Structures are given as structure tokens and as C-alpha cells.
Amino acid sequence: MKILLVTEQFCLANNGMTISSQRFARILREHGHEVRMMGYSREPVDADGEYAYAMKKLTIPVFDNLITSQGMIFAKVNRKIIRDALVWADLVHILSPFALSHVTIKMARLYGVPFTGAFHVQPENITSSIHLSRADLVNDAIYHWFHFYIYRYCRHIHCPSNFIAGELRMRGYHSQLHVISNGIDPDFVYRKSPKIKALEGKFVVLMVGRLSIEKRQDVLIRAVARSRYADRIQLVLAGKGPRKEALLRLAEKEHLANPLQIHFFPKKHLLELISMSDLYVHAADVEIEAMSCMEAFAGGLVPVIADSRKSATPQFALDQRSLFQAGDSNDLAAKIDYWIEHETERKAMEYKYSALGKKYALENCVRQAEEMFRQELEEHAGKRRRFICRRRKQSQKDS
């Protein structure tokens, strides 16, 4: 197949959706498909050097700094580029629910090109930035807007988790929903390495993700400060985002025994960090799937996950020892202390969580997505045949 992936950006691997789309494209190519990506890029080639349909950046007055601080860039719609892409493609897969996708869908329907969608943007990810993540009416309105603007046109929608599929069904999404994980990169496997000198003798607690309000790194910082073993714990936050300075100030205010470490790590260094860490915490209130948590437990870390009703991540907890009450630093501190005190149990659970990671192997997830694509192609061809038959019958009647 010639598959066109449509997303706002694909050149900057600074958010989960972009990273997932790059990996998705790579595996599709390995399976023999031709894959091109359409969205914003500084250069007219993607990460693999294959020609892509690159658009300029759309600057949004007032909000532009906030948007880019969240690792997001919007593409400026260019209909000529979209037309060229659609002429090339056998199938279009929509990855983001914004203007570029909307116009692409309209033109794909006009040109008769089949398309599918993926639901990667949770409304709460948007409303958290303006402190409205708990405003259910606002979040519901965004769900309905996404449906009206994008997803009502898609016969098939890829949902990365049962959680988000349930949210869509509850809000009247009538498309066929395919629950398919974004998948874990095969490089994330159980591996332990000696700690570097700066981490020797310390219990390393790791959290990976964008530094934004809904990820709740603040809960983790307070939990470490309240731990009975605070003097032993080295907290590392792997990521970047608008909350970095605020989190550093909070860590100073809470008087962490070991200074908080915040850095963005390329994949190679992230793998090394996971191999030297002792425990993973995922404190986010809002999450469609949490690829970073999946990679961490696949790499041999026991996770402690916020049991939030707006997050899919609790599905990965193998028992209650890996769950804490969302937003509750005291409960999280107690769970961290438990795993520090029960090292033998933690070591045994590391292997169980690493084995769980194999269930979400990227290769298998891409195979499932390919089956969804084939369904769309077959249904589109059948609809087209029925349309042609009706036109012929009408033509015969007119003659």
C-alpha cells in the first residue's frame, strides 16, 4: 500500500504522538509499504530521508508560545500539497484532529481516496494547559467538536486503549473502534546496568514525560519529600516542557535531600537511565495510553501509577501495589516506601512487568493497524462498486 500519514508535525520527536507516528512509519516500511508523511517540517524530507509533504508552520497569535512549549506545532494548510499527496496515496491515516486533517478529509472524500483516523489527542491534554481539565462540560464539548470536525467521517478509528474507546462510545462515536496499542519499541527490554558515580548508593526513582500540569510531577516531588527514605532517593524527571522552572522551585521548597534532576534524554540515554533506575512512577491524571510508562516497565522497572479515572495507564498495574490514589502524595510516598523495603518482591515483579511489555510489541500492533487499513480499502471498494452500479442503472433509466 501507499500510505499517507497526516499529523501536524513529524520532524520533532518531542511528544508521544510524533514519536509514535515515526515508529509506526518505520515498521510499515519494513513491512513493504510505501509511507509518506504530511505535516509541518523544516525540511521536505522525513527522519528516514524519504520524500514527505512538508508544510510551513501556522503561527497562532497570543497562544503560540504556550502551544510550542507543550511540544506542539500546527501546520499551515496548503491545498496544493494535499492534492499532490492524495493523488499519490492508496490510503490516508489521520493522526491529529486539527485543521490539516479536516481539510485532508474533505479533499479525500472529493477525490475518492479512502481514509482512517486515530484518536491520539485527549481533550483534557488541551484543557489542562488552561486549568480546565476538571471542567467536564468543556471537555465534553471538545470531544463532540472532534467528532463533528473529524471523526464522524471515519469508518474506522484507531484507539490506543480500551479507556479512550469507552470515552468515545459514551459520547456517541458510531465508527468502528479498533483498540490497538501504539506499541513498545523492541529496544526497550529488561536490562540492568551499574549505576554511574553520581547515582551510586541512591534509590533512583524515574518519571518520563512532558513537564506539564496534567502529568502531575508535583505530586511525585512531594511524595519523595515525605518518604521515610527521602535521604536515599534520587528523583529524575526525564522530559521537557513549560513546568520545568516551577518544578525546580517546588523541589527546593520541599527540601529534597538530593537535588531534583530534570533533563530531556535522547532514546539511547533514556535506555541507559532506565537500566540504572530502581522504580518508575507515573503520576499523570490524564493519559490515553502512556507510552513512557510502557517503555519503562518493558525495560525492567516496577511502575507505581496514579489510579485516575481520566487515564488509561492503571490498566498496566499487575496488582494494587502498583497503584496510588491520584493526586495523593502521601499515598504515593507509602507505595514508594513499600518497594524500597521489599527489594526481593520488587526484583521478582521486574521480570513480570518486563514480560507484560512483550504483549504490546510494536510489530504486533502495526499488524493490527494494517488489518484495519485492509478493512477500509475493502469497504471503500465495495461502496464505490455500489455507487457505479447505481449510476449505471440511473443512466439506463434516463436513456
Side-chain angles (χ1 to χ4, degrees):
M1 284 184 274
K2 294 179 179 179
I3 302 170
L4 176 69
L5 302 181
V6 180
T7 184
E8 293 299 317
Q9 64 177 51
F10 56 81
C11 60
L12 303 173
N14 57 359
N15 64 69
M17 182 172 66
T18 303
I19 293 170
S20 292
S21 63
Q22 290 178 350
R23 293 176 179 175
F24 187 54
R26 174 170 56 82
I27 300 300
L28 284 172
R29 287 172 182 142
E30 289 176 4
H31 289 184
H33 304 288
E34 292 183 60
V35 181
R36 295 181 182 176
M37 303 177 79
M38 183 166 68
Y40 164 76
S41 178
R42 293 194 186 100
E43 302 293 338
V45 292
D46 61 18
D48 292 316
E50 186 170 338
Y51 183 85
Y53 299 97
M55 300 196 179
K56 296 179 180 179
K57 176 185 174 182
L58 175 65
T59 300
I60 301 177
V62 180
F63 296 102
D64 200 61
N65 287 338
L66 175 62
I67 293 167
T68 53
S69 71
Q70 297 288 348
M72 191 67 188
I73 294 176
F74 289 107
K76 188 174 183 179
V77 174
N78 184 314
R79 292 174 181 269
K80 181 182 182 303
I81 293 176
I82 296 173
R83 182 173 63 250
D84 292 343
L86 292 176
V87 167
W88 172 83
D90 293 328
L91 178 134
V92 178
H93 187 50
I94 301 294
L95 293 166
S96 57
F98 304 114
L100 175 61
S101 297
H102 175 71
V103 176
T104 301
I105 286 173
K106 287 178 65 177
M107 294 179 67
R109 296 179 74 205
L110 180 66
Y111 296 162
V113 180
F115 56 89
T116 57
F119 201 95
H120 288 302
V121 180
Q122 196 171 350
E124 288 84 356
N125 288 131
I126 299 170
T127 55
S128 292
S129 300
I130 51 176
H131 303 279
L132 289 174
S133 63
R134 298 183 181 180
D136 289 341
L137 288 176
V138 178
N139 292 320
D140 285 345
I142 296 174
Y143 272 111
H144 290 300
W145 172 249
F146 283 169
H147 181 256
F148 174 80
Y149 196 55
I150 299 291
Y151 295 105
R152 65 180 173 137
Y153 301 110
C154 301
R155 276 189 291 254
H156 299 272
I157 302 175
H158 164 211
C159 299
S161 62
N162 279 309
F163 158 75
I164 201 63
E167 295 289 294
L168 299 189
R169 291 190 189 100
M170 185 170 64
R171 291 170 175 85
Y173 282 56
H174 298 300
S175 308
Q176 184 173 343
L177 305 181
H178 300 256
V179 178
I180 305 169
S181 170
N182 284 319
I184 299 174
D185 188 297
D187 290 339
F188 289 87
V189 294
Y190 188 95
R191 183 165 66 97
K192 296 296 177 184
S193 303
K195 292 177 180 176
I196 58 174
K197 190 171 182 179
L199 300 178
E200 285 179 357
K202 296 177 181 176
F203 187 88
V204 181
V205 175
L206 172 66
M207 180 173 172
V208 182
R210 191 173 68 254
L211 307 176
S212 56
I213 294 172
E214 76 275 17
K215 301 303 182 182
R216 300 309 306 270
Q217 287 94 348
D218 59 307
V219 174
L220 175 53
I221 291 171
R222 293 189 179 96
V224 169
R226 296 171 190 181
S227 167
R228 293 194 296 271
Y229 306 95
D231 60 326
R232 289 179 52 194
I233 297 175
Q234 175 60 66
L235 176 58
V236 181
L237 302 180
K240 57 185 176 181
R243 295 275 293 166
K244 180 176 180 178
E245 295 305 319
L247 294 171
L248 288 170
R249 287 194 299 270
L250 176 61
E252 188 174 341
K253 179 182 175 182
E254 293 290 336
H255 305 293
L256 293 189
N258 297 298
L260 172 65
Q261 299 296 314
I262 302 181
H263 306 284
F264 178 79
F265 296 90
K267 178 182 169 183
K268 177 183 176 182
H269 295 148
L270 180 60
L271 288 165
E272 293 172 354
L273 178 59
I274 289 173
S275 72
M276 290 185 285
S277 296
D278 298 293
L279 190 71
Y280 182 83
V281 172
H282 203 80
D285 287 339
V286 174
E287 207 74 79
I288 280 184
E289 187 180 31
M291 186 171 63
S292 58
C293 181
M294 298 165 68
E295 292 171 344
F297 68 68
L301 290 181
V302 172
V304 181
I305 301 163
D307 194 6
S308 170
R309 67 183 183 90
K310 294 292 185 180
S311 172
T313 322
Q315 69 177 310
F316 301 122
L318 294 178
D319 57 47
Q320 289 298 313
R321 296 174 298 174
S322 283
L323 291 173
F324 75 94
Q325 187 173 341
D328 189 334
S329 294
N330 290 325
D331 191 33
L332 175 54
K335 294 297 171 70
I336 292 173
D337 290 350
Y338 175 87
W339 289 115
I340 292 175
E341 293 167 355
H342 296 81
E343 183 177 4
T344 302
E345 293 180 30
R346 179 166 51 83
K347 294 293 184 184
M349 291 303 293
E350 285 178 350
Y351 289 101
K352 291 184 179 181
Y353 273 106
S354 183
L356 174 65
K358 294 173 182 166
K359 176 182 175 182
Y360 301 98
L362 180 58
E363 178 78 20
N364 296 336
C365 297
V366 173
R367 295 286 185 197
Q368 294 174 57
E370 288 173 308
E371 181 56 33
M372 179 184 74
F373 294 161
R374 278 189 282 271
Q375 286 186 43
E376 170 60 25
L377 288 170
E378 290 171 4
E379 291 170 12
H380 180 81
K383 183 178 180 181
R384 188 172 181 82
R385 283 194 297 269
R386 289 192 295 272
F387 174 77
I388 292 171
C389 287
R390 285 197 300 269
R391 289 291 299 270
R392 285 175 178 170
K393 289 179 181 179
Q394 185 61 47
S395 177
Q396 290 172 356
K397 287 181 181 179
D398 292 344
S399 62

